[in-house]
Amino acid sequence: MSGKSMTVAGIMSGTSADGIDVAVVRISPGKLRPKLALIAHEGFRFPASLRRAVLAAMNASSTSTAELARLNWRLGIAYAEAVQATIRRYNVKLDLIGCHGQTLYHQARAASYAGRSFACTWQAGEAQVIASTLGVPVVSNFRPADMLAGGQGAPLVPLLDYALFAHPTRSCVLQNIGGIANLTAIPAGAGADAVIAFDTGPGNMVIDALVQELFARPFDRNGAIAAGGKVLTPALNAALRNPYFHLKPPRTTGREQFGREYATRFLAACRRSSKRPQDAIATTTALTAETIAMSYASFVKSKMRGGVDYIVSGGGARNSTLMAMLAQRLEPMGCELAASEDFGLPAEAKEAAAFALLAWQTWHRLPGNVPAATGAKRGAILGQVTYV
């Protein structure tokens, strides 16, 4: 593999819209795939006013051009400040930055608009603000190139998963539980073209929405609220009939499908069985666990051989009730659950590190998508470079 060693910062803010993760990674070319070493990782909460603006833009049926322009620049400022704080804390000099941006809208499948049918996506966060503030080139807007190559623009983390976790004799599943939950499955001895990756469904998104509505808290810390509740089987079974959970991969979803309106309907279904708010939280936590286990059983299990390391990352890995539910469902299928920290990568660093790697690939004019994961017809060089 050609290319040069670089120190790259990756920036990620996910569909939960709770803040920014920055990972600084040293990336070097390897014989078959790049080599990565994590140098630093920091997390930053969004200021309350910025989080409100992001969530309002995601859920808006209408908004103003001025609002969107201001949000785009304000996010760029927040990303630049997060990277600046990280490199000062660790005394690191950067060669490149990869910024995923904040997804405001992602439509993976073609739909009609103004006389034409097409798929589209939009990640906000002005890259020029970041580049000019830090004096470092920025790669951003990663998803469109994959979509124009016939893919769904997601998931894009599988390249990192393959680089870090591919193994000749042991199969591996990398399960990220952010706002949306997604998995990457790497059969033992597989090449990148055999990787399976897709969004399993809601991760923390619906849990967080109900906790905020019922308990006025940002999230269910350590799953404590869910632990005190009872899973409402009628509401859970009704939710599991959602057509998305039965779609064959590749597939991707987001706040458009499992956002505020979905959470409102889910809560109403729970209240038909129980008025106890803890029961609603237990049930939405079970929904995340059940859809992950269903996805593995339906679309992954038959492709794996030997022991399976099932490695969980993202904020959901901190929810012990959710992890216990997952263990109960996955371990009978031969999976051994672990957290990504057990493999040397902090759970919250993973997605940010992935966009550092994708930026490195783009800088060296190398494809960054995994067509088997996104459904693209070919590999594509992802993103746009913003120079200083």
Side-chain angles (χ1 to χ4, degrees), residues 37-183:
L38 182 66
I39 296 172
H41 167 248
E42 291 290 334
F44 303 86
R45 305 293 291 183
F46 276 143
S49 58
L50 178 54
R51 185 168 195 263
R52 283 195 299 271
V54 170
L55 290 173
M58 285 177 174
N59 289 310
S61 55
S62 63
T63 187
S64 71
T65 305
E67 183 73 18
L68 293 174
R70 290 166 181 158
L71 179 58
N72 186 51
W73 277 64
R74 179 66 183 89
L75 283 165
I77 292 168
Y79 295 144
E81 290 173 345
V83 175
Q84 202 163 46
T86 303
I87 62 176
R88 282 176 179 168
R89 192 167 300 167
Y90 291 90
N91 193 27
V92 176
K93 181 176 172 53
L94 297 177
D95 299 307
L96 186 66
I97 296 169
C99 181
H100 172 268
Q102 181 67 53
T103 299
L104 297 184
Y105 187 74
H106 184 75
Q107 178 195 303
R109 299 179 187 279
S112 181
Y113 176 79
R116 296 294 297 272
S117 183
F118 52 90
C120 63
T121 190
W122 187 23
Q123 285 72 44
E126 180 53 56
Q128 191 65 63
V129 171
I130 307 168
S132 295
T133 302
L134 292 156
V136 177
V138 175
V139 184
S140 62
N141 204 26
F142 289 94
R143 298 191 185 277
D146 177 80
M147 296 173 77
L148 290 165
Q152 297 193 25
L156 296 181
V157 176
L159 185 70
L160 175 80
D161 290 333
Y162 185 75
L164 292 180
F165 295 104
H167 193 275
T169 61
R170 191 162 178 85
S171 297
C172 182
V173 176
L174 292 311
Q175 177 75 56
N176 180 66
I177 308 177
I180 292 296
N182 53 74
L183 68 75

Side-chain angles (χ1 to χ4, degrees), residues 263-353:
T264 299
R265 295 194 301 271
F266 187 90
L267 178 56
C270 289
R271 282 175 166 163
R272 286 193 284 272
S273 297
S274 169
K275 301 301 182 188
R276 294 180 73 241
Q278 297 93 329
D279 294 345
I281 306 306
T283 306
T284 188
T285 303
L287 175 67
T288 295
E290 202 67 55
T291 52
I292 288 171
M294 282 173 52
S295 295
Y296 178 79
S298 299
F299 305 117
V300 177
K301 186 173 180 290
S302 64
K303 313 289 196 307
M304 310 301 263
R305 61 183 177 85
V308 179
D309 291 318
Y310 206 105
I311 303 166
V312 184
S313 63
R318 307 293 190 196
N319 184 326
S320 60
T321 303
L322 175 56
M323 291 294 284
M325 289 178 172
L326 280 173
Q328 183 180 24
R329 291 158 175 76
L330 291 168
E331 286 176 355
M333 290 188 273
C335 298
E336 186 174 327
L337 256 69
S340 63
E341 282 92 337
D342 301 337
F343 292 80
L345 184 67
E348 292 82 0
K350 182 181 166 187
E351 287 191 288

